[in-house]
Amino acid sequence: MTTTESTSYSARTALPAVEAVEVTRSYRLEGLSVDALRGVSLRIEAAEFVAVIGPSGSGKSTLMNLFGCLDRPTTGTLRVGGADVSALSDAALARLRNETIGFVFQSFQLLGRTSALDNVALPLVYRGVRRQERRRRAQQALAAVGLTHRAGHRPTQLSGGEQQRVAIARALVGEPRLLLADEPTGNLDSHTGAEVMGLFEQLNSERGVAVVVVTHDLDVAERAHRQVHVRDGLLERDQGGPRR
Amino acid sequence: MRGAEAFRVALDALRANRLRSLLTMIGVIIGVSAVVLLVAIGSGAKQEVEEQVEGLGANLIFVVPGRFEFGSAPSVSRLELEDIDLLGRVAGNPDAVAVTVSSGEPVTEGGEEAFATVAGTNETVPYVFDRPLARGEYFSEVDVETRRRVAVLGSTVAKTLFGDVDPLGRQVTISGVRFQVIGTFADVGSTFGVDRNAEVHVPVTAAQRLFGVDRIDALAVKAPSTEGIEVLQARLVEALEDKYEGEEFSAVTQTQILGTVGEILNLLTLVLAAIAAISLLVGGVGVSNIMLVSVRERTREIGLRKALGARQRDVLLQFLVEAILLTTVGGVIGIALGVGGSLLIDRFSPLPALIAWWSPVLAFAVSVGVGVFFGVAPARRAGRLDPVVALRTE
Ligand SMILES: Nc1ncnc2c1ncn2[C@@H]1O[C@H](COP(=O)(O)OP(=O)(O)OP(=O)(O)O)[C@@H](O)[C@H]1O
Ligand SMILES: [Mg+2]
């Protein structure tokens, strides 16, 4: 266990986290074709901290779904963690999501009837980790976001900021190489939003996790090391770069 | 995801919707308990009839006119008293042949009246049918020959007419003719729903005059053993058909009666079970329905699980286990109710009920099967959901 993890850690520093070459994504709606992405080439290195900015409908979520292996490109090549997404089966994609990627959603997406602890442990269920061990690791992840004292609470008993921290703990628990957050601060006040960004910064700098954050908020975007601007399904501007 | 985990998740989901789970289960509960109950009643009926026929004695051959078939009209009997001697010669033992001509008649004494099956028989009955007497004695060959008006009462008849008074030596009136009581039968069971304790035996000669007939209904021959019984049967029929040209006769053993009755009761059990199975089917459709609702309601949860790494088969397993859990819990409750109900019916109603070991086992297997069958479609739908679309639903 420990040996495989340390090998994968050395591997993660070598490969780029995401590599997109001329990626498009079109949706067919009643015969009408909507081109959400019209040819995006982008490379995100391991341990980068990137903000994706753009107007509503520009294709940010579509891009994140592709990076997160929830979806496949219509054309073009997309590599996540070195694997060609188009070539993988659904089951292989599920595994890639489970082992390589951590998601944080705007709407938290916590299971309402389940305790914070079990919500956090959920990804480990699909990794075949035993219950005891799952709970132990979930406790650690909750501790990392400062919510040890809320482990037994249900999401409805938590504030918005706390819920988002639980969601972040869930994204962390599997020790992903890539953390994807689609408007994680959209439902939070600016103070709580800043706290959440602080957590991402910490993850990025301390654990070397590549972080991609979609945001409308320029203050939030400023805290990333690189800002990628999307407009009408195309990359408009790419500012900053990997920290060296 | 391992099975144990799927089981836990399914259990949580069912608990979270307690009332709905219970209502869904009711269909299965009713179906399964109905199957168990009706099969128990069918098997109980079969067992009781078998016991009764066995109670008639081991190597009895019944000789009746016409064909022995269920559904065929009873033939008019041309058998007569001399046939006792004929069959006695064929059987090699004149004491092994009994005869009956019977009719339902009111039997009165004082102000009391009992409705009895009055059977005209001969002196061999206690031996041929193994009918022990409680008191007194059976009538003799001489009584039959001299057409003596004597009677042996079944226990309920004696009880109704005389209460606790000893009936021996007293008179009873059958269809206006007076008979003297010379014996009473020991308590026995009933055969084909006929209470044999409500019988009154009188000499066959006296009975023929009483009923105004000179035929007899049937003969019974006690074979020395079950060995070679088929040969004897054939010879009995042959002897009668030689005598009455152009007539048909049948000689049947109780094993054959058992077989025929058993077949009919098996069919009855099957029909009952089939009717109950229809309600189980309806219960299954209900499960399918609720599972589809559940999948729709939990679309976001499914999307989330998939986003976090659940494969199609993990989600499918989760919902399939949920459906199976629903039907098996319903099945177990149904089995408990069915078994309990059968015991109550057996104890407190005139219907016999017998739980065959296979019926709860089968019912359980069927509940699991119903869960799989009706759970697969909703579970597949859940498994196939696109995570991106699923996460976006409200
Ligand atoms: N499943 C879908 N079917 C059809 N069209 C879609 C689908 N998903 C997205 N689109 C379209 O693709 C385009 C990009 O959508 P996307 O959700 O990526 O935008 P976004 O940049 O995330 O916007 P927002 O900031 O409002 O979240 C939009 O025009 C949208 O209508
Ligand atoms: Mg979006």
Side-chain angles (χ1 to χ4, degrees):
Chain A
M1 195 75 182
T2 349
T3 39
T4 46
E5 273 185 4
S6 57
T7 18
S8 70
Y9 187 83
S10 58
R12 87 169 56 150
T13 45
L15 287 167
V18 180
E19 200 178 4
V21 182
E22 280 304 310
V23 164
T24 70
R25 179 70 173 95
S26 320
Y27 296 103
R28 294 209 141 273
L29 273 182
E30 289 140 18
L32 220 79
S33 175
V34 180
D35 299 321
L37 293 177
R38 300 189 293 153
V40 173
S41 297
L42 181 69
R43 192 182 150 108
I44 295 171
E45 301 297 335
E48 256 199 288
F49 191 170
V50 183
V52 177
I53 315 155
S56 186
S58 56
K60 305 182 297 292
S61 293
T62 305
L63 194 63
M64 292 297 267
N65 289 337
L66 288 172
F67 287 179
C69 301
L70 288 169
D71 198 6
R72 293 190 184 88
T74 307
T75 64
T77 315
L78 176 67
R79 266 190 269 277
V80 176
D84 184 347
V85 167
S86 300
L88 295 180
S89 67
D90 282 356
L93 281 187
R95 186 170 171 168
L96 194 60
R97 290 198 288 274
N98 184 254
E99 295 181 348
T100 314
I101 296 159
F103 281 102
V104 179
F105 306 92
Q106 175 173 2
S107 48
F108 316 140
Q109 303 282 14
L110 299 170
L111 297 182
R113 300 187 301 259
T114 308
S115 71
L117 189 72
D118 285 335
N119 263 295
V120 171
L122 197 55
L124 299 179
V125 167
Y126 299 106
R127 209 183 275 193
V129 178
R130 311 195 107 260
R131 196 171 152 84
Q132 287 272 316
E133 175 67 8
R134 285 205 304 263
R135 299 202 142 202
R136 195 185 62 77
R137 290 206 220 166
Q139 275 294 0
Q140 283 181 353
L142 275 178
V145 298
L147 278 182
T148 309
H149 59 297
R150 293 280 185 265
H153 287 54
R154 295 184 169 202
T156 45
Q157 300 163 330
L158 300 173
S159 74
E162 285 170 331
Q163 288 185 51
Q164 194 58 301
R165 273 146 75 194
V166 171
I168 292 169
R170 181 180 62 195
L172 297 182
V173 77
E175 303 194 338
R177 295 176 228 177
L178 175 61
L179 191 106
L180 301 171
D182 194 350
E183 296 190 49
T185 59
N187 280 339
L188 304 176
D189 63 44
S190 57
H191 174 73
T192 322
E195 266 180 22
V196 165
M197 284 307 286
L199 273 170
F200 287 161
E201 275 170 359
Q202 198 185 337
L203 269 171
N204 177 252
S205 59
E206 288 175 11
R207 302 198 193 182
V209 177
V211 179
V212 183
V213 181
V214 172
T215 182
H216 284 296
D217 187 333
L218 289 181
D219 289 341
V220 169
E222 277 308 309
R223 296 181 67 165
H225 306 133
R226 177 180 169 194
Q227 287 80 30
V228 175
H229 295 258
V230 186
R231 183 181 285 273
D232 286 339
L234 291 170
L235 286 199
E236 196 188 35
R237 246 186 318 153
D238 193 347
Q239 290 175 314
R243 231 175 2 148
R244 298 290 170 195
Chain B
M1 185 159 64
R2 288 169 309 168
E5 192 61 39
F7 181 79
R8 192 175 299 131
V9 172
L11 204 62
D12 281 346
L14 295 185
R15 274 213 208 104
N17 274 305
R18 255 175 248 267
L19 183 62
R20 191 171 74 187
S21 306
L22 192 75
L23 289 174
T24 312
M25 270 189 243
I26 281 176
V28 179
I29 293 174
I30 290 174
V32 168
S33 56
V35 169
V36 172
L37 199 69
L38 293 180
V39 166
I41 289 172
S43 328
K46 187 174 175 218
Q47 194 205 31
E48 187 170 276
V49 168
E50 282 173 356
E51 275 172 5
Q52 288 168 5
V53 176
E54 269 162 21
L56 292 176
N59 350 326
L60 268 188
I61 301 169
F62 297 93
V63 181
V64 291
R67 285 184 178 283
F68 176 73
E69 261 172 14
F70 277 92
S72 69
S75 315
V76 176
S77 176
R78 279 183 56 194
L79 293 169
E80 51 188 27
L81 278 181
E82 285 77 64
D83 295 330
I84 300 176
D85 300 330
L86 175 67
L87 297 190
R89 282 196 301 278
V90 175
N93 177 7
D95 292 337
V97 183
V99 68
T100 63
V101 54
S102 56
S103 171
E105 302 286 344
V107 182
T108 55
E109 151 58 19
E112 306 295 336
E113 182 180 275
F115 197 81
T117 304
V118 177
T121 63
N122 58 344
E123 72 285 353
T124 57
V125 160
Y127 165 71
V128 173
F129 288 104
D130 289 321
R131 292 282 304 263
L133 294 189
R135 314 182 57 94
E137 53 194 15
Y138 208 71
F139 39 82
S140 66
E141 192 178 353
V142 175
D143 292 337
V144 175
E145 272 165 14
T146 59
R147 207 186 285 144
R148 247 185 99 195
R149 291 197 297 275
V150 288
V152 179
L153 306 184
S155 59
T156 51
V157 178
K159 186 95 186 154
T160 311
L161 298 183
F162 296 101
D164 294 331
V165 179
D166 182 0
L168 289 193
R170 297 188 158 247
Q171 303 269 318
V172 293
T173 306
I174 306 173
S175 292
V177 180
R178 298 184 70 72
F179 284 74
Q180 190 185 13
V181 179
I182 57 166
T184 58
F185 285 116
D187 247 325
V188 284
S190 54
T191 299
F192 301 124
V194 178
D195 182 5
R196 288 198 288 155
N197 292 319
E199 281 178 4
V200 172
H201 286 202
V202 299
V204 60
T205 44
Q208 283 180 326
R209 166 164 294 187
L210 191 66
F211 304 153
V213 296
D214 49 17
R215 63 172 165 87
I216 56 173
D217 291 339
L219 293 147
V221 179
K222 186 170 186 163
S225 74
T226 48
E227 236 170 281
I229 204 164
E230 292 89 356
V231 179
L232 182 54
Q233 276 174 265
R235 285 175 53 211
L236 292 170
V237 170
E238 199 184 331
L240 285 171
E241 288 180 349
D242 278 353
K243 180 180 165 188
Y244 303 94
E245 252 173 75
E247 300 266 324
E248 274 186 311
F249 294 92
S250 310
V252 291
T253 61
Q254 60 140 312
T255 323
Q256 290 166 328
I257 298 175
L258 265 186
T260 314
V261 171
E263 271 170 37
I264 287 174
L265 290 173
N266 279 343
L267 193 70
L268 178 79
T269 308
L270 207 68
V271 169
L272 290 179
I275 291 168
I278 290 172
S279 63
L280 191 56
L281 207 68
V282 173
V285 173
V287 169
S288 200
N289 224 331
I290 290 298
M291 290 307 297
L292 283 173
V293 171
S294 177
V295 168
R296 176 163 310 165
E297 266 183 11
R298 286 150 68 193
T299 301
R300 243 152 71 103
E301 174 193 331
I302 295 164
L304 175 70
R305 287 179 182 272
K306 287 193 114 176
L308 297 180
R311 290 162 301 172
Q312 183 165 331
R313 44 169 290 210
D314 293 321
V315 175
L316 189 142
L317 184 72
Q318 178 188 330
F319 281 87
L320 198 56
V321 166
E322 198 174 312
I324 294 171
L325 204 62
L326 212 51
T327 58
T328 43
V329 171
V332 168
I333 296 175
I335 288 170
L337 287 181
V339 169
S342 305
L343 294 178
L344 285 179
I345 283 180
D346 193 49
R347 185 132 165 61
F348 296 110
S349 86
L351 283 176
L354 177 78
I355 304 281
W357 66 269
W358 53 266
S359 100
V361 174
L362 187 73
F364 185 80
V366 168
S367 333
V368 177
V370 165
V372 174
F373 186 79
F374 289 100
V376 143
R380 285 174 75 132
R381 174 176 291 192
R384 289 218 192 98
L385 280 177
D386 177 348
V388 177
V389 177
L391 272 173
R392 212 180 287 178
T393 50
E394 281 315 305

